[in-house]
Amino acid sequence: MVTRPPAEGARPTTLGFSLNSFFVWLGDLGPLVQIPIVVVAFGVVVGVILLLIEYAPRPGIGYFWMRVAACFVIPVLAFMVLRPYQNAVVYVVAIALLAGAILFFADYRAREGAGYVFQLIIFMAPAAILLLTGLVYPAIATVVQSFFDKTGKEFVWFDNYVWTFTNAYGFWSVINTIIWALFAPIIATGIGLVYAAFVDRARGEKFLKLWVFMPVAISFVGAGIIWKFVYDYRQGQQIGLLNAIITWFGGQPVGWLDAQPLINTFCLLAVFIWSQTGFAMVILSASIKAVPIDQHEAAQLDGANARQRFFNVTIPGIRGSLIVVLTTITIAALKVYDIVAVMTGGRSNSSVLGFEMVNQQQRFQSYGHSSALAVVLFLFVLPLIIYNVHQMRKQKEVR
Amino acid sequence: MATAELDLPTEQTSPRRPRSERRIARDAQKRLTSRGATLAAAIIAVIWTIPTFGLFVTSFRPGADSNTTGWWTFFVNPGFTLQNYFDALTAGGTALTLGQSFINSLAIAIPATVIPISIAALAAYAFAWIPFKGRGILFVFVFALQIVPIQMALVPLLSLFSRGLSIGEVGIFPGFTLRDVDHSFATVWIAHAIFALPLAIFLLHNFIAEIPSELIEAARVDGAGHGQIFFRMIVPLAMPAIASFAIFQFLWVWNDLLVATIFAPSSSLPLTQTLNSLSGTWGDRWYLQSAGTFISIIVPLIVFFALQRFFVRGLMAGATKG
């Protein structure tokens, strides 16, 4: 059986209980009933993990055997719960036993004492497994996929990337994404900062903040619907506020979401800015309050007026928060999907990378194109994270 | 993901300051308020609220009215109805009624908040308090995983869920078979948990690492292991950080459209998806969409108001540090 090729259509085998069977059973219950059950079940798993972490490393013969059992039983159980295929059971059990043996050996040899590696691995394992299977593996798979054609069988070199920059969908989504990433953070942070500065010296501060913060709690789908009432376009009597104002002044209504070039992009951008400004405002407002008041007083004694104080005292004082807010909103703007999906569906060259790649994959089943778009998006986000990591390291050195 | 690098609270500000100090602060506040600033802020607040207000008004107008006249005519020619809300809850999008998908949204959002935060807290503790080789590099790597856009992980993850994983000839995991299940949220929970992890680990680590080491050492001297320290000390002390991240995570999951659209079977679609498909074939059901949008806002607002104490405290402390 070791040398034989795998049988076609092999059926999965389990212990009689598997993750899949649990999910199947759970899925047949009502949605509300599922909430406590899954939370409790998950809580039990975490409880077992904590118990093992607590007791396994203790010295003594009983704990030694407990550790041995945990090292070997957990990997085997974990693999069996995942339901391997019938003819792969032997391999899987072998892999599990090997993993257990390595774990036990490493743990036994650990300089910090027996139980050290064991604890570390149990603490890290859930997060590590999820991240490896859910982000690292998919990211690599997507990069590989971007060099293959639609079906994923034929290697096509950079054809998908060429397509991305020459095809209308791809080209406009790149252009629009750049526009989003340039304008959204600057405008949203700018307005947020101005508002935070005003609100700092306004009466009824909490109340005023609430109104601008509210869009943050509204989903992009909701925001899209809300803004359709601003952009709506029709002949005769207007429902959309913007066109109504234009017709009151005797103009012709404009089909905002189809207006090209780039006008519709900015219309969508406005929705995003509208919803992110509150976020920028809350954080900047908190950091403005943290700027020491004596600095302001000193500047005042030196004869600086309010505007000078704002630019020479407040802004330098909140530089750190400004950078955090700017990068945060930039990353969000690069990945945006919902607003475009709800408002235009990528019509009239209003598409962005985050939307277009889902579109290519869902509508055209074109995985190569979709992967290439994803990789381009990835390359846009990369410098921001590198910058942030750099900042993080620098901050650590200061500490 | 709206907050790539939002620091959570690093220090507890003492809740009660001496009275005189408080009064000075209040006097300073009074001295600094200006009428111009209040007016300017109020104008921006009004502009910011007009779109939402328009929707709010529309949600109470009869369908026939809102399809032919702008919402502002309501004040000249009022027509009030609550029917929209009843209709919206029972009217369907493509597959579900809004009421059903509201419940689905709850069933998605609560576990998808609890699961990643617990897992992230475990990992964050290990990063902060268990020294090991390559800890710094690994931590930066986890943080940097945020560069992977969700969109990039969708297709491989989807095929992992449906077709499974085999290395060479060995089938490690055959995938889930949840197609015939009534309400399966499993894949959505897992996907949301995965996408939340890098940020959650990063934020919780920043907080947990700031807990004074004397506390941990004292507990260890008393004979507590890592398990007890984590459960009895770290979790209660990190509660403000956990709560403020939980609010964000809940809001993101509740407001998410993309992950649910890809991973949820049609019977398990959330509110956002139904809301989006509620517009009708010709986009003429404004009255339903507007009422539906307000129904969808209720839960985030409740969560926000109920927990904003933690939220604001988290933001304040983080900001003073940055």
Side-chain angles (χ1 to χ4, degrees):
Chain A
M1 111 143 245
V2 177
T3 52
R4 210 172 49 198
E8 284 294 313
R11 297 174 66 90
T13 52
T14 60
L15 295 170
F17 169 84
S18 72
L19 209 54
N20 187 66
S21 66
F22 174 68
F23 286 149
V24 168
W25 171 76
L26 196 65
D28 282 327
L29 304 172
L32 286 180
V33 188
Q34 291 188 34
I35 301 173
I37 293 178
V38 74
V39 169
V40 168
F42 178 74
V44 169
V45 173
V46 173
V48 170
I49 286 177
L50 285 178
L51 265 185
L52 279 172
I53 286 170
E54 182 64 19
Y55 288 112
R58 305 219 163 161
I61 192 76
Y63 292 119
F64 169 80
W65 285 111
M66 182 174 159
R67 205 152 60 230
V68 174
C71 283
F72 287 93
V73 171
I74 291 177
V76 174
L77 263 181
F79 276 117
M80 295 310 286
V81 163
L82 288 177
R83 292 194 312 163
Y85 286 110
Q86 219 153 31
N87 54 355
V89 171
V90 176
Y91 291 104
V92 166
V93 171
I95 293 171
L97 289 177
L98 186 69
I102 292 172
L103 172 58
F104 183 74
F105 184 69
D107 192 48
Y108 194 68
R109 292 284 307 267
R111 217 180 312 149
E112 288 80 357
Y116 168 80
V117 176
F118 182 79
Q119 283 180 316
L120 184 63
I121 286 183
I122 299 193
F123 264 120
M124 293 289 212
I129 291 168
L130 283 182
L131 287 177
L132 285 175
T133 52
L135 283 178
V136 178
Y137 157 74
I140 295 168
T142 302
V143 173
V144 172
Q145 194 74 57
S146 71
F147 293 103
F148 285 82
D149 74 336
K150 249 181 144 157
T151 55
K153 298 236 165 62
E154 202 180 326
F155 190 74
V156 293
W157 293 101
F158 288 94
D159 280 10
N160 291 320
Y161 292 94
V162 172
W163 175 89
T164 299
F165 289 99
T166 51
N167 173 284
Y169 289 111
F171 176 76
W172 282 106
S173 45
V174 171
I175 297 287
N176 286 335
T177 300
I178 292 172
I179 290 174
W180 277 75
L182 285 181
F183 286 90
I186 293 170
I187 300 176
T189 314
I191 301 177
L193 179 64
V194 169
Y195 192 76
F198 280 142
V199 120
D200 192 41
R201 297 190 297 133
R203 299 185 65 129
E205 189 188 333
K206 275 189 184 154
F207 184 73
L208 283 171
K209 271 180 167 176
L210 184 69
W211 290 108
V212 174
F213 185 81
M214 202 166 65
V216 180
I218 299 175
S219 64
F220 284 143
V221 176
I225 294 169
I226 287 172
W227 279 78
K228 275 186 190 166
F229 281 78
V230 176
Y231 294 140
D232 185 71
Y233 160 74
R234 55 191 71 202
Q235 302 297 332
Q237 179 93 13
Q238 295 299 319
I239 294 180
L241 184 60
L242 213 49
N243 279 329
I245 292 173
I246 288 178
T247 48
W248 281 334
F249 285 103
Q252 285 297 314
V254 180
W256 293 106
L257 295 178
D258 288 312
Q260 293 180 42
L262 298 182
I263 295 171
N264 51 6
T265 300
F266 281 97
C267 287
L268 297 185
L269 195 53
V271 182
F272 182 78
I273 290 169
W274 176 74
S275 89
Q276 295 296 304
T277 299
F279 169 75
M281 181 272 293
V282 170
I283 292 182
L284 293 177
S285 164
S287 54
I288 283 177
K289 289 197 186 319
V291 175
I293 194 110
D294 14 326
Q295 284 183 13
H296 273 283
E297 277 163 4
Q300 204 164 11
L301 287 178
D302 290 346
N305 63 26
R307 223 183 102 244
Q308 286 167 328
R309 283 205 306 273
F310 180 71
F311 282 105
N312 296 325
V313 179
T314 309
I315 300 268
I318 60 170
R319 211 175 140 263
S321 309
L322 268 178
I323 291 172
V324 169
V325 170
L326 280 171
T327 46
T328 303
I329 297 181
T330 314
I331 292 176
L334 283 170
K335 294 182 185 176
V336 80
Y337 162 83
D338 315 37
I339 291 181
V340 179
V342 171
M343 295 193 74
T344 66
R347 257 186 298 120
S348 315
N349 299 337
S350 63
S351 190
V352 292
L353 284 172
F355 171 79
E356 194 54 40
M357 63 155 304
V358 178
N359 196 31
Q360 286 297 324
Q361 170 218 318
Q362 298 289 83
R363 248 178 72 200
F364 304 109
Q365 304 284 316
S366 177
Y367 297 117
H369 291 165
S370 152
S371 306
L373 289 163
V375 174
V376 173
L377 179 58
F378 175 83
L379 293 178
F380 278 148
V381 192
L382 195 61
L384 285 167
I385 291 288
I386 291 175
Y387 174 76
N388 268 334
V389 167
H390 187 70
Q391 288 287 315
M392 210 166 84
R393 294 229 140 156
K394 229 166 54 185
Q395 234 177 24
K396 233 172 220 163
E397 277 161 26
V398 171
R399 250 186 250 159
Chain B
M1 298 279 136
T3 57
E5 205 202 323
L6 179 71
D7 267 318
L8 287 154
T10 52
E11 59 200 290
Q12 308 270 13
T13 44
S14 59
R16 250 179 256 148
R17 281 186 287 177
R19 181 179 247 168
S20 61
E21 201 183 313
R22 217 168 19 170
R23 206 166 60 205
I24 292 168
R26 207 171 50 215
D27 289 349
Q29 183 74 27
K30 216 178 262 169
R31 192 157 42 89
L32 286 171
T33 58
S34 87
R35 228 177 245 162
T38 310
L39 189 69
I43 289 172
I44 298 179
V46 167
I47 294 173
W48 236 246
T49 316
I50 284 178
T52 318
F53 182 70
L55 189 81
F56 184 68
V57 171
T58 308
S59 72
F60 291 109
R61 298 180 77 208
D65 285 8
S66 56
N67 272 336
T68 50
T69 54
W71 55 266
W72 49 90
T73 57
F74 176 80
F75 301 103
V76 201
N77 177 25
F80 180 86
T81 175
L82 280 176
Q83 193 62 37
N84 295 344
Y85 283 85
F86 295 113
D87 287 352
L89 277 174
T90 49
T94 42
L96 295 167
T97 69
L98 203 67
Q100 286 168 329
S101 60
F102 183 90
I103 290 173
N104 284 346
S105 266
L106 275 179
I108 289 171
I110 294 173
T113 306
V114 174
I115 293 172
I117 289 181
S118 324
I119 291 177
L122 284 170
Y125 174 78
F127 273 124
W129 293 106
I130 305 183
F132 59 91
K133 236 184 181 175
R135 185 166 69 158
I137 300 281
L138 199 61
F139 183 65
V140 167
F141 177 72
V142 170
F143 172 73
L145 277 179
Q146 282 177 80
I147 38 176
V148 181
I150 290 179
Q151 287 95 330
M152 201 168 178
L154 293 178
V155 177
L157 200 55
L158 199 63
S159 91
L160 191 69
F161 284 152
S162 61
R163 264 179 274 159
L165 177 73
S166 45
I167 298 169
E169 292 171 4
V170 186
I172 301 290
F173 169 58
F176 294 120
T177 47
L178 299 168
R179 206 160 296 146
D180 304 325
V181 182
D182 277 349
H183 294 283
S184 176
F185 303 103
T187 49
V188 193
W189 291 329
I190 297 174
H192 273 304
I194 288 170
F195 297 141
L197 272 181
L199 185 64
I201 293 176
F202 175 71
L203 294 177
L204 293 181
H205 167 268
N206 284 358
F207 190 90
I208 290 173
E210 297 282 332
I211 291 172
S213 58
E214 294 86 30
L215 273 177
I216 312 267
E217 254 131 53
R220 204 164 290 156
V221 169
D222 288 346
H226 281 305
Q228 272 197 350
I229 292 176
F230 178 80
F231 190 68
R232 293 258 191 89
M233 294 178 62
I234 300 292
V235 171
L237 283 175
M239 228 18 168
I242 292 174
S244 82
F245 183 74
I247 299 170
F248 271 122
Q249 173 67 7
F250 185 90
L251 290 184
W252 288 328
V253 175
W254 183 270
N255 289 337
D256 158 79
L257 176 67
L258 178 58
V259 175
T261 309
I262 303 283
F263 290 106
S266 59
S267 59
S268 310
L269 287 168
L271 196 54
T272 44
Q273 171 67 38
T274 312
L275 199 56
N276 189 21
S277 55
L278 205 61
S279 58
T281 323
W282 308 105
D284 55 353
R285 300 204 288 176
W286 293 94
Y287 58 105
L288 289 186
Q289 269 197 323
S290 55
T293 306
F294 270 94
I295 293 169
S296 80
I297 297 173
I298 292 170
V299 170
L301 286 184
I302 291 175
V303 169
F304 177 69
F305 282 116
L307 299 173
Q308 71 165 338
R309 205 157 47 87
F310 295 107
F311 173 77
V312 172
R313 208 200 294 169
L315 286 175
M316 294 292 279
T320 51
K321 206 187 92 198

